[in-house]
Amino acid sequence: MIYKELSARKTIALVAHDHKKDDLLRWVNKHRNLLKNHDLIATGTTGKLVEQSLNLSVQKLLSGPLGGDQQIGALIAESKIDVLIFFWDPMEAQPHDPDVKALLRVGIVWNIPMACDVATADFIMSSPFMQNTYKAELTDYDAYKNRKL
């Protein structure tokens, strides 16, 4: 079995669609005291809003529709993101829906904790694993990577 050890200080990616930004801002303010112990990374507009709201440093990537979702997906694949909090809007079609689906897929492929709603995000933040090291089990993709083409 393959494992990835997550340190007590996690890198948390924050993403929110336009109609979910207020929900995310309320959530980050509720968890400010926990979030300040972790590294935050976000897509463009979301990152600016979170940084202003919390007065904490946030690494900001491109806006989601301009490639920010894909940037976060790449960071997950490189084991540079430990947790994804992605408040997406299920009631509104997004021009970058394929990117959204790809981001969720890569999070599952690399077995990172993901929350797409407030309740799940609350559960993740309240987990003792969030404040301690955690040994995440990874799927062994060697057979796939070494397949004959």
Side-chain angles (χ1 to χ4, degrees):
M1 196 54 52
I2 299 173
Y3 294 94
K4 171 187 162 187
E5 186 165 312
L6 307 181
S7 70
R9 184 174 184 91
K10 313 253 181 326
T11 299
I12 303 170
L14 302 169
V15 183
H17 286 157
D18 287 346
H19 291 112
K20 294 294 183 172
K21 288 193 189 328
D22 287 341
D23 291 345
L24 183 69
L25 291 176
R26 277 190 299 277
W27 182 83
V28 296
N29 278 288
K30 177 180 172 182
H31 294 285
R32 183 187 194 291
N33 287 332
L34 294 172
L35 290 170
K36 69 182 181 184
N37 299 317
H38 301 283
D39 298 314
L40 306 178
I41 188 168
T43 50
T45 306
T46 299
K48 288 177 193 173
L49 293 170
V50 169
E51 194 170 62
Q52 291 170 355
S53 183
L54 296 181
N55 197 27
L56 294 174
S57 177
V58 177
Q59 180 185 346
K60 292 171 289 302
L61 303 174
L62 295 172
S63 174
L66 298 178
D69 294 341
Q70 291 178 334
Q71 286 179 300
I72 289 190
L75 291 170
I76 291 169
E78 295 171 4
S79 294
K80 294 180 179 173
I81 290 179
D82 302 313
V83 175
L84 174 62
I85 307 295
F86 183 6
F87 289 2
W88 62 277
D89 187 350
M91 303 306 282
E92 180 136 346
Q94 300 294 324
H96 60 298
D97 272 339
D99 300 337
V100 171
K101 185 176 180 183
L103 176 56
L104 295 172
R105 182 188 164 283
V106 79
I108 292 168
V109 166
W110 294 106
N111 194 28
I112 68 164
M114 293 189 302
C116 295
D117 57 49
V118 173
T120 306
D122 285 344
F123 270 72
I124 288 173
M125 289 307 290
S126 65
S127 169
F129 296 126
M130 203 56 207
Q131 309 311 320
N132 297 296
T133 59
Y134 176 73
K135 201 172 187 181
E137 187 176 313
L138 298 178
T139 300
D140 183 353
Y141 290 110
D142 281 346
Y144 177 80
K145 293 188 286 188
N146 297 320
R147 71 192 185 283
K148 299 227 187 265
L149 299 177

